Amino acid sequence: MQYWLLKTEPRGYSIDDLKRDGCTPWSGVRNYQARNFMRDGMQVGDRVFFYHSNVAEPAIVGLAHVCSEPYPDPTAFDVRSKYYDEKSTRDKPRWFLVDVCFDTKLARPITLKALRADPTLGGLLVLAPHQRLSVMPVEKMHGDRIEAMSHTMHS
DNA sequence: GCCAACGTTGGC
DNA sequence: GCCAACGTTGGC
């Protein structure tokens, strides 16, 4: 089991959307490093920290998990999709994704500020300056700590 | 909405 | 395969 952090802009797709949908294909990732993490690293059951970016208070707002094997991103084949990529074909797909399933929405989000303030979270990728990856791995030690924080956030 | 940093593109 | 230009990201 591996921990991951998935970034999303809530105006596009939020934790409430995931709660409503239950599961969703994490489509539209068009960055090779992020793709590699999904295609080569993700396994069913991996835990996901669901992060809202580009908002007044960036924060981990929910917990989710990976609920499918990696598979080609169908939006890359769809000419009407804004994620269409003519270089990705069904024979040689370029973009991959996994399905993500809702677990919980945190009663109190773990803000970026709170993550930064925690001395045990040094080296957490999302804290690195100008870290733009929308899919990033989280070390077990850090993930365990964030999970523990999420439990406190419930009370 | 600013802007630094990063990824991608494409001419050479 | 270099590298300048361009677009995007995302915290502030």
Side-chain angles (χ1 to χ4, degrees), chain A residues 29-88:
Chain A
V29 172
R30 295 294 179 268
N31 170 282
Y32 287 104
Q33 214 179 337
R35 176 207 64 183
N36 292 347
F37 284 133
M38 287 201 289
R39 186 190 62 185
D40 308 331
M42 284 193 176
Q43 292 186 289
V44 173
D46 282 359
R47 310 294 305 269
V48 169
F49 299 114
F50 197 93
Y51 178 92
H52 282 177
S53 68
N54 234 331
V55 286
E57 189 90 271
I60 293 170
V61 293
L63 305 179
H65 64 277
V66 174
C67 54
S68 80
E69 302 290 325
Y71 61 98
D73 184 341
T75 64
F77 308 137
D78 179 0
V79 290
R80 289 163 309 175
S81 169
K82 68 185 241 192
Y83 299 117
Y84 173 67
D85 181 354
E86 60 175 5
K87 289 175 183 156
S88 184

